[in-house]
């Protein structure tokens, strides 16, 4: 198969092998992702939860990319903003809220960590650490392990564009490239690393250009377009599964909210800039595409949104009413058990 060495190839959307029911499911997941995200913001502003890190605007990139993987054999190293990835893989809104509240049943850490440190063993989602980009060498290692075991799984590894300026990115991508490990490095380029716009983070015009330095294909795609993102990632997954090694995919998108509930984005970007990107809202775009294709109509979209709103309300209540962790359990899973509680 022809390999585009480094060049940032622009993908065009369109034809897809995804059946109508699957597309509707993806649309529902996008709407749910948005509703969960907005609810987390509301809960934080009410003082009910401590922290949130919004993904509003990045739903198409997340849901389009993950649709190209096979959840029965692939491995996933998502990053904190990937609510859409996690809901696609079977996490529930209640699970996300349990993490927000820090409840006992929080599937990530039983309420020990900040939310968004994803973990879902049944879908081979491997939990990450808070320093950005540390999942990239982990993903490379998992790709190499799959090769050694002779398994045909492919690894999904996502991160923001700011994280591509970190040493872990270089080490992980280089190692995977040299070994032709089956890893898709998926960059959600949302234009900012907290307050730092692109031009303050990197001297290249596009993250995809970085691929040339590793001798792997680099592709840049409209990350607000589900079909375009899916098509590019799907090709990359096929290459990886065929033994042709990793690809760096850059999904160009935009974070419509502040970096986190602790950030005031009025300090570094204009409201006009946000309004421009909001015109390209990925959910609205996908809805219009599905209506044009006859897969969805306005009445069905409204019914679906109402269903999702009820589901998110019920999930919020369930998480709010769930039990807190026991104080006495605070150090469980932190230190080796069976000793004196201090790992000795
Ligand atoms: C090594 C390290 N440095 C700094 C931080 C603080 N931090 C958290 S998110 C973030 C921005 C990352 O930007 P990007 O990779 O573009 O992802 P985005 O948040 O925009 O999705 C920073 C600097 C961190 N978590 N780890
Ligand atoms: Mg960013």
């Amino acid at each position: 198969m022809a390999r585009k060495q480094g060049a940032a190839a622009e993908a065009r959307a369109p034809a897809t092998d995804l059946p109508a029911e699957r597309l509707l499911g993806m649309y529902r997941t996008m709407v749910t992702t948005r509703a969960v995200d907005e609810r987390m913001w509301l809960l934080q502003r009410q003082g009910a939860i401590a922290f949130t890190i919004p993904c509003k605007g990045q739903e198409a990139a997340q849901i389009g990319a993950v649709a190209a993987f096979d959840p029965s054999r692939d491995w996933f190293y998502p990053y904190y903003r990937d609510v859409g990835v996690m809901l696609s893989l079977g996490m529930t809104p209640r699970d996300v809220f349990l993490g927000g509240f820090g409840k006992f049943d929080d599937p990530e850490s039983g309420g020990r960590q900040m939310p968004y440190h994803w973990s879902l063993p049944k879908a081979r989602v491997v939990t990450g650490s808070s320093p950005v980009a540390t999942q990239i060498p982990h993903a490379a290692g998992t790709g190499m392990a799959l090769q050694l075991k002779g398994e045909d799984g492919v690894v999904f590894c996502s991160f923001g564009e700011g994280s591509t300026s970190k040493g872990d990115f270089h080490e992980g991508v280089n190692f995977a490239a040299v070994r032709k490990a089956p890893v898709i490095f998926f960059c959600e380029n949302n234009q900012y690393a907290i307050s730092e716009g692109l031009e303050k983070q990197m001297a290249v015009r596009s993250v995809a250009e970085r691929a040339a330095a590793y001798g792997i294909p680099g592709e840049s795609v409209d990350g607000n377009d589900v079909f375009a993102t899916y098509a590019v990632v799907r090709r990359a997954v096929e290459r990886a599964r065929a033994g042709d090694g990793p690809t760096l995919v850059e999904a160009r998108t935009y974070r419509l909210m502040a970096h986190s509930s602790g950030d005031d984005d009025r300090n570094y970007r204009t409201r006009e800039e946000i309004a421009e990107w909001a015109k390209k809202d990925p959910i609205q775009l996908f809805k219009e595409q599905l209506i044009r294709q006859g897969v969805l109509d306005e009445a069905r979209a409204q019914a679906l949104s109402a269903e999702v709103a009820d589901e998110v309300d019920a999930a919020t209540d369930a998480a709010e009413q769930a039990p807190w962790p026991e104080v006495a359990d605070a150090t469980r899973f932190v230190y080796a058990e069976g000793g004196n509680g201090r790992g000795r």
Side-chain angles (χ1 to χ4, degrees), residues 42-55:
L42 202 67
L43 289 169
Q44 199 282 335
R45 287 308 195 234
Q46 289 172 341
I49 66 172
F51 182 71
T52 186
I53 194 149
C55 66

Side-chain angles (χ1 to χ4, degrees), residues 79-81 130-132 160-163 166 190 192-194 259:
Y79 88 119
Y80 45 83
R81 229 177 271 287
S130 295
V132 298
E161 81 297 334
S163 303
K166 197 154 168 275
N190 63 9
Y192 287 90
I194 312 186
H259 169 77

Side-chain angles (χ1 to χ4, degrees), residues 53-54 58 79-81 129-134 159-166 168 187-196 198 201-202 255 259:
I53 194 149
Q58 296 181 213
Y79 88 119
Y80 45 83
R81 229 177 271 287
S129 192
S130 295
V132 298
T134 44
F159 40 84
E161 81 297 334
S163 303
T164 68
S165 300
K166 197 154 168 275
D168 298 80
C187 177
E188 295 177 34
N189 178 357
N190 63 9
Q191 317 295 324
Y192 287 90
I194 312 186
S195 56
E196 303 295 283
L198 276 183
Q201 304 173 35
M202 58 188 75
R255 155 166 72 68
H259 169 77

Side-chain angles (χ1 to χ4, degrees), residues 124-136:
R124 286 171 303 286
V125 177
V126 185
T127 196
S129 192
S130 295
V132 298
T134 44
Q135 71 277 23
I136 299 174

